[in-house]
Amino acid sequence: MNSFWYFDDVNLFKVLCPHKFKKYKKSHEFNAYKKQDYIYFEEDSANKIYLIDKGKVKLGYYTEAGEEVVKSILSKGELFGEKAILGEEKRNEFAQSVDNATSICPIAVDTMHDLMRDNQTFTLKIYKFIGFRIKKLERRLQLLLFKDTKTRLLEFLKELCEEYGYECEKTGDHVVQHPYTQKDIASLIGTSRPTLNIILNELKEANVIDFNRKEIRFIS
């Protein structure tokens, strides 16, 4: 499986977490969050990056009309707040726990820069990761602005297949085992859960996909 948990065959959590380094281990702690707790708000100081040890985190922002726009929902092993590495001083998004037992590994920007100075190959991988994340976000925002709901869903499912999918040897179907609920997917493509369910069932009836709670199968 390809996902953010393994980026270029590097387990980001195992590489980045300060617990792995004697120099930082004693002073480092994990932070626990319950559902709907905020890790940070828009305009907060951007002095840390974060790795998800357990649970899920929603990233987004609010429009001037007060509407919530979900940019991404991240799960175990994924990195967020990474623009602080590039010099961002204030957050332009919020980060919120969407699980009742979310555990976060915070890394001070100064600590991150120390780690990056010691390993050029690792540094290049981090910058490549950030570039990939930015391109993915730009693509999703374009979909939200210019595409209808069904097209947004199909494009999102395509992304899931690229990140989490594998080919079933017996059937040739592409199978996606993913961390998202239907509520998560609805938020990410900018629609309601009932509308999402209708479109998913239409695709199922058309023999395009089959699905259950944690798996989507693209019918060959």
Side-chain angles (χ1 to χ4, degrees), residues 16 46-49 79-88 91 107-109 112-113 116 122-123 126-127 129-130:
L16 283 176
N47 54 16
K48 294 178 182 178
I49 65 169
L79 174 75
F80 64 98
E82 69 278 357
K83 284 181 286 186
I85 300 171
L86 304 178
E88 179 184 70
R91 302 293 184 190
I107 309 172
V109 172
M112 187 65 182
H113 285 159
M116 291 171 71
F122 169 69
T123 300
I126 290 295
Y127 282 130
F129 171 85
I130 293 172

PDB file of all heavy atoms in Angstrom, residues 16 46-49 79-88 91 107-109 112-113 116 122-123 126-127 129-130:
ATOM      1  N   LEU A  16      10.972  10.893  12.378  1.00  0.00           N
ATOM      2  CA  LEU A  16      10.864  12.246  12.904  1.00  0.00           C
ATOM      3  C   LEU A  16      10.663  12.356  14.412  1.00  0.00           C
ATOM      4  O   LEU A  16      11.106  13.316  15.022  1.00  0.00           O
ATOM      5  CB  LEU A  16       9.693  12.969  12.230  1.00  0.00           C
ATOM      6  CG  LEU A  16       9.909  13.472  10.811  1.00  0.00           C
ATOM      7  CD1 LEU A  16       8.607  14.056  10.290  1.00  0.00           C
ATOM      8  CD2 LEU A  16      10.996  14.512  10.768  1.00  0.00           C
ATOM      9  N   ALA A  46       2.902  29.713  14.496  1.00  0.00           N
ATOM     10  CA  ALA A  46       3.316  28.462  13.832  1.00  0.00           C
ATOM     11  C   ALA A  46       4.739  28.124  14.268  1.00  0.00           C
ATOM     12  O   ALA A  46       5.703  28.368  13.552  1.00  0.00           O
ATOM     13  CB  ALA A  46       3.230  28.619  12.315  1.00  0.00           C
ATOM     14  N   ASN A  47       4.860  27.549  15.449  1.00  0.00           N
ATOM     15  CA  ASN A  47       6.188  27.240  15.979  1.00  0.00           C
ATOM     16  C   ASN A  47       6.442  25.746  16.161  1.00  0.00           C
ATOM     17  O   ASN A  47       7.461  25.345  16.722  1.00  0.00           O
ATOM     18  CB  ASN A  47       6.433  27.974  17.304  1.00  0.00           C
ATOM     19  CG  ASN A  47       5.328  27.708  18.315  1.00  0.00           C
ATOM     20  OD1 ASN A  47       4.545  26.775  18.170  1.00  0.00           O
ATOM     21  ND2 ASN A  47       5.259  28.551  19.336  1.00  0.00           N
ATOM     22  N   LYS A  48       5.496  24.915  15.696  1.00  0.00           N
ATOM     23  CA  LYS A  48       5.656  23.467  15.802  1.00  0.00           C
ATOM     24  C   LYS A  48       5.100  22.786  14.557  1.00  0.00           C
ATOM     25  O   LYS A  48       4.264  23.351  13.848  1.00  0.00           O
ATOM     26  CB  LYS A  48       4.911  22.922  17.030  1.00  0.00           C
ATOM     27  CG  LYS A  48       5.458  23.381  18.358  1.00  0.00           C
ATOM     28  CD  LYS A  48       4.636  22.823  19.508  1.00  0.00           C
ATOM     29  CE  LYS A  48       5.156  23.333  20.841  1.00  0.00           C
ATOM     30  NZ  LYS A  48       4.339  22.838  21.973  1.00  0.00           N
ATOM     31  N   ILE A  49       5.565  21.575  14.309  1.00  0.00           N
ATOM     32  CA  ILE A  49       4.900  20.677  13.377  1.00  0.00           C
ATOM     33  C   ILE A  49       4.433  19.471  14.185  1.00  0.00           C
ATOM     34  O   ILE A  49       4.865  19.279  15.327  1.00  0.00           O
ATOM     35  CB  ILE A  49       5.814  20.253  12.210  1.00  0.00           C
ATOM     36  CG1 ILE A  49       6.990  19.431  12.717  1.00  0.00           C
ATOM     37  CG2 ILE A  49       6.282  21.457  11.414  1.00  0.00           C
ATOM     38  CD1 ILE A  49       7.771  18.768  11.599  1.00  0.00           C
ATOM     39  N   LEU A  79       1.774  13.780   8.870  1.00  0.00           N
ATOM     40  CA  LEU A  79       2.409  15.019   9.321  1.00  0.00           C
ATOM     41  C   LEU A  79       1.504  16.205   8.993  1.00  0.00           C
ATOM     42  O   LEU A  79       0.883  16.242   7.937  1.00  0.00           O
ATOM     43  CB  LEU A  79       3.746  15.153   8.585  1.00  0.00           C
ATOM     44  CG  LEU A  79       4.578  16.420   8.746  1.00  0.00           C
ATOM     45  CD1 LEU A  79       5.251  16.419  10.101  1.00  0.00           C
ATOM     46  CD2 LEU A  79       5.640  16.473   7.639  1.00  0.00           C
ATOM     47  N   PHE A  80       1.413  17.187   9.903  1.00  0.00           N
ATOM     48  CA  PHE A  80       0.696  18.424   9.572  1.00  0.00           C
ATOM     49  C   PHE A  80       1.354  19.605  10.284  1.00  0.00           C
ATOM     50  O   PHE A  80       2.179  19.439  11.176  1.00  0.00           O
ATOM     51  CB  PHE A  80      -0.796  18.326   9.896  1.00  0.00           C
ATOM     52  CG  PHE A  80      -1.142  18.164  11.347  1.00  0.00           C
ATOM     53  CD1 PHE A  80      -1.516  19.263  12.115  1.00  0.00           C
ATOM     54  CD2 PHE A  80      -1.121  16.920  11.955  1.00  0.00           C
ATOM     55  CE1 PHE A  80      -1.855  19.127  13.447  1.00  0.00           C
ATOM     56  CE2 PHE A  80      -1.461  16.766  13.293  1.00  0.00           C
ATOM     57  CZ  PHE A  80      -1.831  17.863  14.042  1.00  0.00           C
ATOM     58  N   GLY A  81       0.966  20.812   9.847  1.00  0.00           N
ATOM     59  CA  GLY A  81       1.604  22.023  10.365  1.00  0.00           C
ATOM     60  C   GLY A  81       2.972  22.254   9.755  1.00  0.00           C
ATOM     61  O   GLY A  81       3.747  23.080  10.228  1.00  0.00           O
ATOM     62  N   GLU A  82       3.245  21.528   8.637  1.00  0.00           N
ATOM     63  CA  GLU A  82       4.606  21.498   8.075  1.00  0.00           C
ATOM     64  C   GLU A  82       5.041  22.819   7.449  1.00  0.00           C
ATOM     65  O   GLU A  82       6.242  23.037   7.245  1.00  0.00           O
ATOM     66  CB  GLU A  82       4.733  20.372   7.037  1.00  0.00           C
ATOM     67  CG  GLU A  82       3.966  20.569   5.744  1.00  0.00           C
ATOM     68  CD  GLU A  82       2.498  20.183   5.841  1.00  0.00           C
ATOM     69  OE1 GLU A  82       2.071  19.703   6.907  1.00  0.00           O
ATOM     70  OE2 GLU A  82       1.778  20.369   4.848  1.00  0.00           O
ATOM     71  N   LYS A  83       4.088  23.726   7.165  1.00  0.00           N
ATOM     72  CA  LYS A  83       4.496  25.005   6.560  1.00  0.00           C
ATOM     73  C   LYS A  83       5.331  25.866   7.518  1.00  0.00           C
ATOM     74  O   LYS A  83       6.011  26.801   7.099  1.00  0.00           O
ATOM     75  CB  LYS A  83       3.267  25.769   6.075  1.00  0.00           C
ATOM     76  CG  LYS A  83       2.684  25.210   4.773  1.00  0.00           C
ATOM     77  CD  LYS A  83       1.494  25.992   4.296  1.00  0.00           C
ATOM     78  CE  LYS A  83       0.273  25.698   5.132  1.00  0.00           C
ATOM     79  NZ  LYS A  83      -0.955  26.336   4.594  1.00  0.00           N
ATOM     80  N   ALA A  84       5.304  25.512   8.797  1.00  0.00           N
ATOM     81  CA  ALA A  84       6.162  26.205   9.758  1.00  0.00           C
ATOM     82  C   ALA A  84       7.636  26.010   9.422  1.00  0.00           C
ATOM     83  O   ALA A  84       8.465  26.886   9.703  1.00  0.00           O
ATOM     84  CB  ALA A  84       5.882  25.690  11.177  1.00  0.00           C
ATOM     85  N   ILE A  85       7.954  24.872   8.799  1.00  0.00           N
ATOM     86  CA  ILE A  85       9.340  24.605   8.395  1.00  0.00           C
ATOM     87  C   ILE A  85       9.790  25.627   7.355  1.00  0.00           C
ATOM     88  O   ILE A  85      10.964  26.011   7.294  1.00  0.00           O
ATOM     89  CB  ILE A  85       9.480  23.185   7.802  1.00  0.00           C
ATOM     90  CG1 ILE A  85       9.069  22.135   8.831  1.00  0.00           C
ATOM     91  CG2 ILE A  85      10.912  22.921   7.334  1.00  0.00           C
ATOM     92  CD1 ILE A  85       8.977  20.737   8.250  1.00  0.00           C
ATOM     93  N   LEU A  86       8.838  26.082   6.537  1.00  0.00           N
ATOM     94  CA  LEU A  86       9.155  27.007   5.442  1.00  0.00           C
ATOM     95  C   LEU A  86       9.140  28.463   5.882  1.00  0.00           C
ATOM     96  O   LEU A  86       9.354  29.358   5.066  1.00  0.00           O
ATOM     97  CB  LEU A  86       8.162  26.806   4.295  1.00  0.00           C
ATOM     98  CG  LEU A  86       8.045  25.389   3.725  1.00  0.00           C
ATOM     99  CD1 LEU A  86       6.987  25.345   2.625  1.00  0.00           C
ATOM    100  CD2 LEU A  86       9.389  24.907   3.194  1.00  0.00           C
ATOM    101  N   GLY A  87       8.860  28.702   7.159  1.00  0.00           N
ATOM    102  CA  GLY A  87       8.893  30.078   7.656  1.00  0.00           C
ATOM    103  C   GLY A  87       7.537  30.687   7.949  1.00  0.00           C
ATOM    104  O   GLY A  87       7.455  31.865   8.297  1.00  0.00           O
ATOM    105  N   GLU A  88       6.450  29.918   7.794  1.00  0.00           N
ATOM    106  CA  GLU A  88       5.129  30.447   8.140  1.00  0.00           C
ATOM    107  C   GLU A  88       5.114  30.848   9.616  1.00  0.00           C
ATOM    108  O   GLU A  88       5.504  30.063  10.485  1.00  0.00           O
ATOM    109  CB  GLU A  88       4.056  29.386   7.880  1.00  0.00           C
ATOM    110  CG  GLU A  88       2.647  29.843   8.236  1.00  0.00           C
ATOM    111  CD  GLU A  88       1.621  28.733   8.052  1.00  0.00           C
ATOM    112  OE1 GLU A  88       1.650  27.781   8.850  1.00  0.00           O
ATOM    113  OE2 GLU A  88       0.819  28.817   7.111  1.00  0.00           O
ATOM    114  N   ARG A  91      -0.703  30.516  11.609  1.00  0.00           N
ATOM    115  CA  ARG A  91      -1.482  29.468  10.944  1.00  0.00           C
ATOM    116  C   ARG A  91      -2.578  30.080  10.064  1.00  0.00           C
ATOM    117  O   ARG A  91      -3.228  31.058  10.471  1.00  0.00           O
ATOM    118  CB  ARG A  91      -2.156  28.558  11.980  1.00  0.00           C
ATOM    119  CG  ARG A  91      -1.191  27.874  12.950  1.00  0.00           C
ATOM    120  CD  ARG A  91      -0.320  26.864  12.253  1.00  0.00           C
ATOM    121  NE  ARG A  91       0.520  26.168  13.232  1.00  0.00           N
ATOM    122  CZ  ARG A  91       1.514  25.366  12.906  1.00  0.00           C
ATOM    123  NH1 ARG A  91       1.813  25.155  11.623  1.00  0.00           N
ATOM    124  NH2 ARG A  91       2.220  24.757  13.831  1.00  0.00           N
ATOM    125  N   ILE A 107       6.599  18.644  17.411  1.00  0.00           N
ATOM    126  CA  ILE A 107       8.034  18.854  17.200  1.00  0.00           C
ATOM    127  C   ILE A 107       8.278  20.344  17.004  1.00  0.00           C
ATOM    128  O   ILE A 107       7.720  20.952  16.083  1.00  0.00           O
ATOM    129  CB  ILE A 107       8.542  18.088  15.961  1.00  0.00           C
ATOM    130  CG1 ILE A 107       8.123  16.622  16.008  1.00  0.00           C
ATOM    131  CG2 ILE A 107      10.062  18.211  15.846  1.00  0.00           C
ATOM    132  CD1 ILE A 107       8.422  15.865  14.723  1.00  0.00           C
ATOM    133  N   ALA A 108       9.081  20.933  17.850  1.00  0.00           N
ATOM    134  CA  ALA A 108       9.412  22.356  17.714  1.00  0.00           C
ATOM    135  C   ALA A 108      10.142  22.579  16.396  1.00  0.00           C
ATOM    136  O   ALA A 108      10.915  21.728  15.953  1.00  0.00           O
ATOM    137  CB  ALA A 108      10.275  22.812  18.882  1.00  0.00           C
ATOM    138  N   VAL A 109       9.864  23.708  15.756  1.00  0.00           N
ATOM    139  CA  VAL A 109      10.506  24.015  14.471  1.00  0.00           C
ATOM    140  C   VAL A 109      12.027  24.010  14.605  1.00  0.00           C
ATOM    141  O   VAL A 109      12.740  23.503  13.732  1.00  0.00           O
ATOM    142  CB  VAL A 109      10.007  25.371  13.927  1.00  0.00           C
ATOM    143  CG1 VAL A 109      10.800  25.792  12.693  1.00  0.00           C
ATOM    144  CG2 VAL A 109       8.524  25.284  13.573  1.00  0.00           C
ATOM    145  N   MET A 112      13.195  20.527  14.566  1.00  0.00           N
ATOM    146  CA  MET A 112      13.094  19.996  13.213  1.00  0.00           C
ATOM    147  C   MET A 112      14.256  20.480  12.348  1.00  0.00           C
ATOM    148  O   MET A 112      14.856  19.704  11.588  1.00  0.00           O
ATOM    149  CB  MET A 112      11.762  20.436  12.594  1.00  0.00           C
ATOM    150  CG  MET A 112      11.471  19.804  11.256  1.00  0.00           C
ATOM    151  SD  MET A 112      11.247  18.021  11.388  1.00  0.00           S
ATOM    152  CE  MET A 112      10.980  17.620   9.670  1.00  0.00           C
ATOM    153  N   HIS A 113      14.583  21.742  12.459  1.00  0.00           N
ATOM    154  CA  HIS A 113      15.698  22.286  11.677  1.00  0.00           C
ATOM    155  C   HIS A 113      17.021  21.625  12.075  1.00  0.00           C
ATOM    156  O   HIS A 113      17.872  21.367  11.218  1.00  0.00           O
ATOM    157  CB  HIS A 113      15.781  23.799  11.865  1.00  0.00           C
ATOM    158  CG  HIS A 113      14.721  24.551  11.124  1.00  0.00           C
ATOM    159  ND1 HIS A 113      14.332  25.828  11.453  1.00  0.00           N
ATOM    160  CD2 HIS A 113      13.955  24.198  10.051  1.00  0.00           C
ATOM    161  CE1 HIS A 113      13.383  26.235  10.631  1.00  0.00           C
ATOM    162  NE2 HIS A 113      13.142  25.265   9.775  1.00  0.00           N
ATOM    163  N   MET A 116      17.067  18.275  10.398  1.00  0.00           N
ATOM    164  CA  MET A 116      17.252  18.414   8.952  1.00  0.00           C
ATOM    165  C   MET A 116      18.690  18.779   8.594  1.00  0.00           C
ATOM    166  O   MET A 116      19.217  18.338   7.573  1.00  0.00           O
ATOM    167  CB  MET A 116      16.272  19.456   8.403  1.00  0.00           C
ATOM    168  CG  MET A 116      14.821  18.997   8.458  1.00  0.00           C
ATOM    169  SD  MET A 116      13.633  20.309   8.060  1.00  0.00           S
ATOM    170  CE  MET A 116      13.912  20.487   6.300  1.00  0.00           C
ATOM    171  N   PHE A 122      17.312  13.185   4.121  1.00  0.00           N
ATOM    172  CA  PHE A 122      16.054  13.324   4.850  1.00  0.00           C
ATOM    173  C   PHE A 122      15.417  14.683   4.569  1.00  0.00           C
ATOM    174  O   PHE A 122      14.210  14.794   4.365  1.00  0.00           O
ATOM    175  CB  PHE A 122      16.327  13.149   6.338  1.00  0.00           C
ATOM    176  CG  PHE A 122      15.175  13.528   7.212  1.00  0.00           C
ATOM    177  CD1 PHE A 122      14.019  12.767   7.239  1.00  0.00           C
ATOM    178  CD2 PHE A 122      15.235  14.655   8.017  1.00  0.00           C
ATOM    179  CE1 PHE A 122      12.955  13.120   8.034  1.00  0.00           C
ATOM    180  CE2 PHE A 122      14.177  15.016   8.819  1.00  0.00           C
ATOM    181  CZ  PHE A 122      13.034  14.239   8.834  1.00  0.00           C
ATOM    182  N   THR A 123      16.247  15.727   4.542  1.00  0.00           N
ATOM    183  CA  THR A 123      15.746  17.076   4.266  1.00  0.00           C
ATOM    184  C   THR A 123      15.061  17.146   2.910  1.00  0.00           C
ATOM    185  O   THR A 123      13.974  17.721   2.767  1.00  0.00           O
ATOM    186  CB  THR A 123      16.912  18.091   4.309  1.00  0.00           C
ATOM    187  OG1 THR A 123      17.507  18.060   5.604  1.00  0.00           O
ATOM    188  CG2 THR A 123      16.421  19.503   4.013  1.00  0.00           C
ATOM    189  N   ILE A 126      11.647  15.561   3.044  1.00  0.00           N
ATOM    190  CA  ILE A 126      10.664  16.414   3.706  1.00  0.00           C
ATOM    191  C   ILE A 126      10.148  17.496   2.764  1.00  0.00           C
ATOM    192  O   ILE A 126       8.939  17.739   2.650  1.00  0.00           O
ATOM    193  CB  ILE A 126      11.262  17.058   4.968  1.00  0.00           C
ATOM    194  CG1 ILE A 126      11.483  15.983   6.044  1.00  0.00           C
ATOM    195  CG2 ILE A 126      10.362  18.165   5.509  1.00  0.00           C
ATOM    196  CD1 ILE A 126      10.215  15.348   6.558  1.00  0.00           C
ATOM    197  N   TYR A 127      11.055  18.154   2.038  1.00  0.00           N
ATOM    198  CA  TYR A 127      10.629  19.197   1.091  1.00  0.00           C
ATOM    199  C   TYR A 127       9.786  18.605  -0.036  1.00  0.00           C
ATOM    200  O   TYR A 127       8.814  19.220  -0.501  1.00  0.00           O
ATOM    201  CB  TYR A 127      11.836  19.939   0.530  1.00  0.00           C
ATOM    202  CG  TYR A 127      12.413  20.953   1.484  1.00  0.00           C
ATOM    203  CD1 TYR A 127      13.773  20.991   1.780  1.00  0.00           C
ATOM    204  CD2 TYR A 127      11.594  21.899   2.097  1.00  0.00           C
ATOM    205  CE1 TYR A 127      14.296  21.929   2.670  1.00  0.00           C
ATOM    206  CE2 TYR A 127      12.105  22.835   2.977  1.00  0.00           C
ATOM    207  CZ  TYR A 127      13.459  22.844   3.258  1.00  0.00           C
ATOM    208  OH  TYR A 127      13.956  23.772   4.130  1.00  0.00           O
ATOM    209  N   PHE A 129       7.886  15.988   0.262  1.00  0.00           N
ATOM    210  CA  PHE A 129       6.600  15.704   0.902  1.00  0.00           C
ATOM    211  C   PHE A 129       5.733  16.953   0.959  1.00  0.00           C
ATOM    212  O   PHE A 129       4.544  16.926   0.642  1.00  0.00           O
ATOM    213  CB  PHE A 129       6.855  15.176   2.320  1.00  0.00           C
ATOM    214  CG  PHE A 129       5.613  15.051   3.153  1.00  0.00           C
ATOM    215  CD1 PHE A 129       4.830  13.910   3.082  1.00  0.00           C
ATOM    216  CD2 PHE A 129       5.216  16.074   4.000  1.00  0.00           C
ATOM    217  CE1 PHE A 129       3.684  13.799   3.845  1.00  0.00           C
ATOM    218  CE2 PHE A 129       4.079  15.974   4.763  1.00  0.00           C
ATOM    219  CZ  PHE A 129       3.306  14.826   4.688  1.00  0.00           C
ATOM    220  N   ILE A 130       6.335  18.076   1.367  1.00  0.00           N
ATOM    221  CA  ILE A 130       5.580  19.330   1.464  1.00  0.00           C
ATOM    222  C   ILE A 130       5.065  19.750   0.091  1.00  0.00           C
ATOM    223  O   ILE A 130       3.915  20.169  -0.063  1.00  0.00           O
ATOM    224  CB  ILE A 130       6.462  20.436   2.084  1.00  0.00           C
ATOM    225  CG1 ILE A 130       6.766  20.101   3.542  1.00  0.00           C
ATOM    226  CG2 ILE A 130       5.779  21.798   1.977  1.00  0.00           C
ATOM    227  CD1 ILE A 130       7.784  21.023   4.192  1.00  0.00           C
TER     228      ILE A 130
END
